[in-house]
Amino acid sequence: MTNHSRQNKLLVAVDCIIFGFDGQELKLLLIKRGFEPEKGRWSLMGGFVQPKESFEDAATRVLKQLTGLEDVYMEQLYAFSNPDRDPTDRIASIAYFSLIDINKYQQQLSDEFHAEWFQLAKTPSLIFDHRDMIDMAREKLQYKAAIHPILFELLPDKFTLPQLQSLYEGVYDAVLDKRNFSRKVLSTGLLVKQKEKEKETSKKGAFYFKLDKKKYQKKFNAFLNFIPNPHNLK
Amino acid sequence: MTNHSRQNKLLVAVDCIIFGFDGQELKLLLIKRGFEPEKGRWSLMGGFVQPKESFEDAATRVLKQLTGLEDVYMEQLYAFSNPDRDPTDRIASIAYFSLIDINKYQQQLSDEFHAEWFQLAKTPSLIFDHRDMIDMAREKLQYKAAIHPILFELLPDKFTLPQLQSLYEGVYDAVLDKRNFSRKVLSTGLLVKQKEKEKETSKKGAFYFKLDKKKYQKKFNAFLNFIPNPHNLK
DNA sequence: ACAAAAGTGTTTCACATACACCCATGC
DNA sequence: GCATGGGTGTATGTGAAACACTTTTGT
């Protein structure tokens, strides 16, 4: 227990599950591996953890490498550690998932990795346990987005209610009633109506909204609707 | 990226946050370290991940080593990886939390580790980032127990409603109304009333209940109360 | 008979849901 | 003038919360 022996050391990688939303569909950014093993197959973007780097640092670095983005929403998903998950080497992988504004994503960087956005339902066959990672990420996203307003991280600064609703519908694979939906999201007080309309997708046009960043920060945890009644809390 | 170089390898440990409930208070099992570094200080029970072991395997092994228990509720909490978290070596730690029936715990095993149960509010100073681990575990427990009926994992086969209520009150540090509480838990259909009463803690005595294991399994996920209305799901 | 904890029911209110019509505009 | 998608209001039901008295029994 005390011998920090060399033989107990492991290779540790990070893998990034990157979600984006194009206004219609929830999407996932995958790369085509340009190196062995499994060269030519699709996978999540990943990389090895360096000696002086935390897992978060590594995931941030890897994400930036692929997308050019920093300061985006990222959350540790799970540590995958089956000794046989990579058939060639024993490599543990810490999976992170990110929510990015797909418009800020810098295409040119991705060319290097042959990256492509995939609809969730249409992802290709993936290496190792990356499919499990994605399934778990999706589940966690559903779980968390039901409680915290994280889906705004996928949207541009200005967005319309119909867009927001499509996003929720995509995440939950559900059809929602637009009257109830708009009442619910507006009742949070998190949205600020703009004067301009988005007029690409309809003749009438839909008003833009912006997120009230201050309230967003403040309400991020308050969004919880299941803890016992606040005034019973000691 | 392709060079799985030796120098990228890391020491990886697991640490176990072990919760128990004595009928009154939510408690935590800690050990007094009998080895360097930090010999003599309190810490979580942990151990290094072995070359052919998954992190889950390692945590299961470590938990059994301390408590003698297998097949208990265990969940991966988080991978802690700050390069400086252990000042002597770079060691990442994957934290797991467990919920055990404190009565099944085998005291004699723990003597070897000088283990003791602590009330959450009265935990001593701990090594490294173990305090952070515990805080996060508690938060996750609150989060999860609000949605899934996991707290039964802390109780013996037979328990009373007042005990169950104390448990919830301990986890949320809250005072609950017993009428509303009993209506709510009984409405889940998860509890089966027994004929015997527990007569230690009151003159009148409180009826024992058992968990309906089949319904528990079936309802474990159905307990969710926030997903969009089921009949809207595709 | 009294103290101590168990057990039980009703009212009120907020929120979630179901549901249908009018509006603005480009063509 | 019509087709397309945007925007709004109401009625109903369910579940959460507040609240107080009776029961049992050991001493």
Side-chain angles (χ1 to χ4, degrees), chain B residues 202-219:
Chain B
S202 80
K203 292 160 185 167
K204 184 175 178 182
F207 281 105
Y208 278 118
F209 285 82
K210 282 187 176 180
L211 187 62
D212 183 329
K213 297 257 164 76
K214 276 184 195 159
K215 284 193 187 163
Y216 176 65
Q217 309 261 340
K218 215 172 60 181
K219 283 209 171 181

Side-chain angles (χ1 to χ4, degrees), chain A residues 114-142:
Chain A
H114 305 95
E116 270 182 40
W117 288 99
F118 286 88
Q119 266 187 249
L120 271 172
K122 296 182 182 167
T123 51
S125 160
L126 294 164
I127 63 163
F128 307 159
D129 50 3
H130 287 195
R131 159 74 50 195
D132 298 334
M133 293 180 176
I134 290 171
D135 290 344
M136 195 186 283
R138 176 128 203 250
E139 202 173 310
K140 190 156 185 179
L141 181 62
Q142 289 188 344

Side-chain angles (χ1 to χ4, degrees), chain A residues 39-220:
Chain A
K39 184 172 173 178
R41 289 187 64 198
W42 292 97
S43 85
L44 295 168
M45 178 72 180
F48 286 103
V49 175
Q50 301 301 307
K52 300 212 165 163
E53 195 178 50
S54 70
F55 298 165
E56 285 76 16
D57 291 341
T60 304
R61 171 174 56 76
V62 164
L63 182 76
K64 184 173 182 194
Q65 204 182 348
L66 179 62
T67 64
L69 297 177
E70 287 179 291
D71 299 319
V72 299
Y73 185 89
M74 185 155 69
E75 186 176 336
Q76 188 183 298
L77 176 64
Y78 201 73
F80 290 80
S81 62
N82 184 322
D84 307 317
R85 55 177 291 283
D86 180 333
T88 54
D89 265 298
R90 202 279 212 237
I91 305 177
S93 172
I94 320 297
Y96 283 81
F97 79 89
S98 298
L99 307 179
I100 71 172
D101 173 0
I102 205 167
N103 307 295
K104 292 193 181 143
Y105 155 76
Q106 296 170 31
Q107 181 63 44
Q108 71 284 6
L109 279 168
S110 298
D111 291 346
E112 182 184 343
F113 301 100
H114 305 95
E116 270 182 40
W117 288 99
F118 286 88
Q119 266 187 249
L120 271 172
K122 296 182 182 167
T123 51
S125 160
L126 294 164
I127 63 163
F128 307 159
D129 50 3
H130 287 195
R131 159 74 50 195
D132 298 334
M133 293 180 176
I134 290 171
D135 290 344
M136 195 186 283
R138 176 128 203 250
E139 202 173 310
K140 190 156 185 179
L141 181 62
Q142 289 188 344
Y143 203 95
K144 191 130 191 187
I147 299 174
H148 302 288
I150 55 174
L151 296 186
F152 295 108
E153 304 285 348
L154 289 163
L155 293 168
D157 283 351
K158 294 188 301 186
F159 51 86
T160 67
L161 287 186
Q163 281 167 3
L164 185 61
Q165 183 173 342
S166 304
L167 175 51
Y168 273 85
E169 290 181 335
V171 168
Y172 292 101
D173 216 356
V175 179
L176 303 175
D177 181 280
K178 63 180 173 178
R179 292 161 291 188
N180 294 335
F181 181 80
S182 81
R183 179 155 10 95
K184 198 186 290 190
V185 300
L186 292 176
S187 77
T188 63
L190 254 39
L191 299 190
V192 184
K193 193 173 191 170
Q194 305 300 114
K195 281 172 187 151
E196 321 97 86
K197 283 184 164 185
E198 186 277 329
K199 307 210 54 166
E200 309 278 303
T201 47
S202 79
K203 291 159 186 168
K204 184 177 177 182
F207 281 105
Y208 279 118
F209 286 82
K210 282 187 174 179
L211 187 61
D212 182 330
K213 296 259 164 76
K214 277 184 195 159
K215 286 193 186 165
Y216 176 64
Q217 310 260 338
K218 216 172 58 180
K219 284 209 172 183
F220 190 83

Side-chain angles (χ1 to χ4, degrees), chain B residues 97-155:
Chain B
F97 79 89
S98 297
L99 307 178
I100 71 172
D101 173 0
I102 205 169
N103 308 294
K104 291 194 183 144
Y105 156 75
Q106 296 169 31
Q107 181 62 45
Q108 70 282 7
L109 280 168
S110 298
D111 291 346
E112 182 185 343
F113 301 101
H114 305 94
E116 270 181 39
W117 288 99
F118 287 87
Q119 266 187 251
L120 271 172
K122 296 182 180 166
T123 51
S125 159
L126 294 163
I127 64 164
F128 308 158
D129 51 1
H130 287 193
R131 160 75 49 196
D132 298 335
M133 291 180 177
I134 291 171
D135 290 344
M136 194 186 284
R138 176 128 203 251
E139 202 172 310
K140 189 155 184 180
L141 181 62
Q142 288 188 345
Y143 203 94
K144 191 128 190 189
I147 299 173
H148 302 289
I150 55 173
L151 296 187
F152 295 107
E153 305 285 348
L154 289 162
L155 293 168

Side-chain angles (χ1 to χ4, degrees), chain B residues 56-106:
Chain B
E56 285 74 17
D57 291 342
T60 304
R61 171 174 56 77
V62 163
L63 182 75
K64 185 174 181 193
Q65 204 182 350
L66 179 63
T67 64
L69 298 176
E70 288 179 289
D71 298 320
V72 299
Y73 186 89
M74 185 154 70
E75 187 175 335
Q76 187 182 298
L77 177 64
Y78 201 74
F80 291 80
S81 62
N82 185 321
D84 307 316
R85 55 178 292 282
D86 179 333
T88 54
D89 266 298
R90 202 281 213 237
I91 306 178
S93 172
I94 319 300
Y96 283 81
F97 79 89
S98 297
L99 307 178
I100 71 172
D101 173 0
I102 205 169
N103 308 294
K104 291 194 183 144
Y105 156 75
Q106 296 169 31

Side-chain angles (χ1 to χ4, degrees), chain A residues 1 4 10 46 53 89-90, chain B residues 1 4 10 46 53 89-90:
Chain A
M1 199 130 176
H4 298 167
L10 300 178
E53 195 178 50
D89 265 298
R90 202 279 212 237
Chain B
M1 197 130 179
H4 299 166
L10 300 178
E53 200 178 46
D89 266 298
R90 202 281 213 237

